[in-house]
Amino acid sequence: MSNAPTPERRWSPTASLWTSRAAVHLVLLLGALYSVLPLVWLVTSATKDVGDFSTTGAFHLGAFSLGDNLRDLFHEQDGIFLYWIRNSVLYALVGAVLGALICTACGYAVAKLDFPGRRTLFAVTLTGVLVPTTALALPLYLLASQLRLVDTFWAVFLPLLTNPFGVYLARAFAEASIPDEVLEAARVDGAGELRTFVTIGLPMMRNGLVTIVLFQFVAIWNNFFLPLVMLTDPKLFPMNLGIFQWSTRITQFPQYNPMVLTGSLLAVVPLVAAFVLLQRQWRSGLAAGSTK
C-alpha cells in the first residue's frame, strides 16, 4: 500500500467568494428583480392616463385611471378586444388540451408499443424539435393556402395541435412512470391498446400531461408569428397580435398607449394564474420526467 500523502486542496479566495451562500443569494435576487420589475412597471403603467404616463416615473403612481383604461379598452373598435380574448382562449386553452393529449398518445406509443420504425420515427421527431417555429410559418401558409384555410380560425388552430417537444416529454414521462408489467397484465386481461392507454397509461402520466398542457398553453398564448402570417381579419386576432397592431399607432395616436398597457396586463394574468394553479402538478411532472 502506498503511504504517499494526499495533496492538499489549495484555497482560492476568488472561488470562495463566488460560491459563497451570500453570492448565490445575490445572483438569485438579481434574477428575481430582472423577472419581476417589468411586471411591476406594467402594473403601475396600466393605472395611468396619457398625461401621467409621460410625466411620472416608471414605478410612480399617478391618478388611478385603471377603470377608465379598462372601459376604453373594451369599447375601442366596438369591443374588438373581447373577440381577441375569445380567440386567445380558444387557441391556447383548447389547443393546449387537445395538443397535449395528442403528444401524450404519441409519446406513449413510441415508449411502450413495439412497431416497425419506432426508433426512426422518434429520431425524426427529435429533429423537429431543432427546427424553429418561425421557419415553418411560410410552408404552413402555403399549405393552408392550398386548402383555402388562410384567414380562418383553422389556419392558426390546426398547426398548434402538434408539438415535437411535447412528444419527447411524453415519451420520457411514459418510460419513467408506466411499468411494462402493468401493461402486460392489462393485455392478458383482454384490454385493447386504446383502452390500456386511456384507463392505465393516461392516469399514470397525469403529472406529465399537466406539464405538457402548461408548456403548450404558454407557447400558444405567446404565439405571434403564425397568426401574423395567417390572419388579416382583426376579429380572428389573438390578444398579442391585436395589441401589437394597436402599439403601431401610438406615435400618431397617443391615446392607444394606456389601452396597450392595460391589454398587455390582462394578457399576462392567465399565464400567471396557470403557473400558480398548476405548480404542484407540473413540478412533480418535471421531476418524474427528469429520471430518464
Side-chain angles (χ1 to χ4, degrees):
M1 296 180 61
S2 175
N3 296 324
T6 304
E8 295 183 0
R9 180 179 298 176
R10 293 185 177 181
W11 177 77
S12 173
T14 304
S16 177
L17 176 64
W18 288 104
T19 58
S20 64
R21 180 175 298 180
V24 173
H25 287 175
L26 178 60
V27 172
L28 293 176
L29 178 61
L30 292 176
L33 291 176
Y34 180 80
S35 302
V36 172
L37 286 180
L39 183 60
V40 175
W41 173 83
L42 184 61
V43 172
T44 57
S45 299
T47 62
K48 301 177 183 179
D49 57 18
V50 179
D52 288 337
F53 184 79
S54 58
T55 58
T56 59
F59 300 103
H60 294 164
L61 293 173
F64 191 81
S65 304
L66 181 60
D68 296 334
N69 294 340
L70 288 172
R71 185 188 66 248
D72 296 338
L73 177 69
F74 289 111
H75 284 83
E76 180 67 21
Q77 295 181 230
D78 297 325
I80 197 170
F81 192 77
L82 294 174
Y83 287 96
W84 297 346
I85 294 176
R86 179 203 63 184
N87 297 334
S88 293
V89 170
L90 290 176
Y91 292 141
L93 185 59
V94 180
V97 173
L98 292 180
L101 288 174
I102 293 173
C103 292
T104 303
C106 294
Y108 169 85
V110 172
K112 295 300 178 180
L113 300 183
D114 188 14
F115 56 90
R118 181 179 65 171
R119 297 184 181 274
T120 303
L121 179 62
F122 185 65
V124 173
T125 303
L126 289 181
T127 304
V129 176
L130 305 177
V131 179
T133 55
T134 53
L136 300 176
L138 182 57
L140 288 174
Y141 175 81
L142 296 176
L143 181 61
S145 179
Q146 292 292 328
L147 298 175
R148 298 183 179 181
L149 295 177
V150 175
D151 207 23
T152 66
F153 170 84
W154 303 106
V156 176
F157 181 76
L158 291 178
L160 301 176
L161 298 180
T162 58
N163 184 0
F165 184 67
V167 176
Y168 168 75
L169 287 180
R171 178 181 180 270
F173 290 133
E175 290 186 344
S177 58
I178 304 177
D180 293 334
E181 294 79 6
V182 176
L183 300 181
E184 290 297 331
R187 296 183 182 116
V188 169
D189 289 341
E193 294 297 342
L194 180 60
R195 183 179 178 183
T196 301
F197 168 69
V198 173
T199 59
I200 297 177
L202 201 57
M204 288 186 172
M205 297 175 64
R206 182 185 61 184
N207 291 335
L209 177 63
V210 173
T211 303
I212 298 173
V213 167
L214 187 58
F215 283 172
Q216 282 276 90
F217 180 81
V218 174
I220 297 173
W221 190 270
N222 293 327
N223 190 10
F224 172 79
F225 196 67
L226 183 63
L228 178 65
V229 172
M230 292 291 189
L231 303 176
T232 59
D233 184 0
K235 291 187 177 181
L236 295 175
F237 287 176
M239 293 174 66
N240 54 2
L241 181 57
I243 293 172
F244 169 77
Q245 294 289 341
W246 279 357
S247 68
T248 60
R249 309 175 187 176
I250 290 178
T251 304
Q252 295 179 330
F253 305 99
Q255 64 271 20
Y256 276 101
N257 206 359
M259 289 187 290
V260 168
L261 294 171
T262 306
S264 300
L265 179 61
L266 294 181
V268 171
V269 171
L271 298 179
V272 176
F275 273 94
V276 171
L277 294 177
L278 301 177
Q279 61 177 335
R280 178 177 299 178
Q281 284 77 13
W282 72 264
R283 286 173 62 184
S284 59
L286 284 177
S290 64
T291 59
K292 289 292 181 179

